[in-house]
Amino acid sequence: MARTAAARAPRRTTRAESKQRTLERVLEAAMAVFRRDGYHGASLDRVAAAAGFTKGAVYSAFDSKAELFLELLARRAAERRDEMHAVLAKSHDSATFVEESARRFARSVAAERDWWTAVIEFMTVVGRDDALRERFAAQREESRALIAQIVEAWARRQGQKPTISARRIATLILALNNGLTLESLLAPGEVGAQAYVEGQLALARSLMAPARDD
């Protein structure tokens, strides 16, 4: 009887599990606050209130609002890279990959304009803070490296050669998405999903040439 009761007793949550649950609640609340108030309007105090925690619980996990936002960006970037891998696995040519990737990114901007507005706000802060820019650059490097690898893979597969370095192409792709996103926030009627597709396809075509045997 005692053995049966013990078997039915719920497993106690470990300290690590409890800490992870707290982190997830803080991040969920932070996303809601940043989307509602923007980057400049948000604060760790507001995040704590939205999560239902004391300020100390949030401050114990993140030293600053910028650090919290960087964590959200890192998670979003990881999701984006996973999505790119999934699209790559289903694409039979580079044009299909570019078009589908562009459409997915454009849809995310259209669906979460409040989030992307906060991202643009954060980028202006990054531009004025050397230490913060270094941390942000480290995050971007993972995405830049993945895009460069994809560019090189498609070039080899289709018998083409990039006219400039794959890394430079990756930087141009990221910059084009940033610019179109900013423009879509300012003039949504001018920048829809098709603009992302046309821009990325034009960029890809202009930077590839048939490979020549040396």
Side-chain angles (χ1 to χ4, degrees), residues 11 20 90 94 142 160 177 199 212:
R11 185 177 66 86
Q20 185 61 35
K90 297 178 181 179
S94 59
E142 292 187 53
Q160 295 178 316
N177 273 346
R212 294 187 300 177

Side-chain angles (χ1 to χ4, degrees), residues 138-154:
Q139 284 190 4
R140 296 283 281 180
E141 181 58 30
E142 292 187 53
S143 296
R144 193 190 319 274
L146 174 59
I147 295 172
Q149 291 170 8
I150 291 173
V151 168
E152 291 175 337
W154 278 122

Side-chain angles (χ1 to χ4, degrees), residues 4-163:
T4 301
R8 292 177 179 174
R11 185 177 66 86
R12 294 181 61 184
T13 302
T14 66
R15 186 180 182 86
E17 289 172 336
S18 178
K19 186 176 181 180
Q20 185 61 35
R21 288 180 184 176
T22 298
L23 175 62
E24 295 302 327
R25 280 182 60 184
V26 168
L27 291 173
E28 182 179 356
M31 177 61 74
V33 170
F34 282 122
R35 292 183 66 169
R36 183 192 68 204
D37 301 338
Y39 180 77
H40 293 304
S43 67
L44 291 186
D45 288 0
R46 291 186 179 186
V47 171
F53 293 138
T54 64
K55 291 186 290 186
V58 177
Y59 280 93
S60 67
F62 298 99
D63 294 332
S64 66
K65 177 172 68 173
E67 184 177 351
L68 176 52
F69 201 83
L70 280 170
E71 177 62 24
L72 291 174
L73 282 175
R75 291 186 172 216
R76 282 300 187 95
E79 291 172 2
R80 173 69 176 153
R81 289 192 294 271
D82 288 343
E83 188 174 73
M84 290 175 66
H85 279 299
V87 174
L88 183 62
K90 297 178 181 179
S91 301
H92 300 294
D93 57 74
S94 59
T96 300
F97 172 76
V98 171
E99 180 171 354
E100 180 60 20
S101 295
R103 287 195 185 282
R104 290 191 181 204
F105 187 82
R107 285 198 294 265
S108 75
V109 174
E112 299 179 303
R113 290 175 58 81
D114 46 7
W115 162 249
W116 287 101
T117 300
V119 172
I120 296 297
E121 288 182 68
F122 181 69
M123 287 181 174
T124 65
V125 175
V126 169
R128 293 178 176 272
D129 187 320
D130 290 342
L132 196 55
R133 184 166 60 249
E134 185 175 337
R135 294 182 63 183
F136 182 66
Q139 284 190 4
R140 296 283 281 180
E141 181 58 30
E142 292 187 53
S143 296
R144 193 190 319 274
L146 174 59
I147 295 172
Q149 291 170 8
I150 291 173
V151 168
E152 291 175 337
W154 278 122
R156 288 192 301 269
R157 189 182 305 182
Q158 299 184 177
Q160 295 178 316
K161 183 177 181 180
T163 57

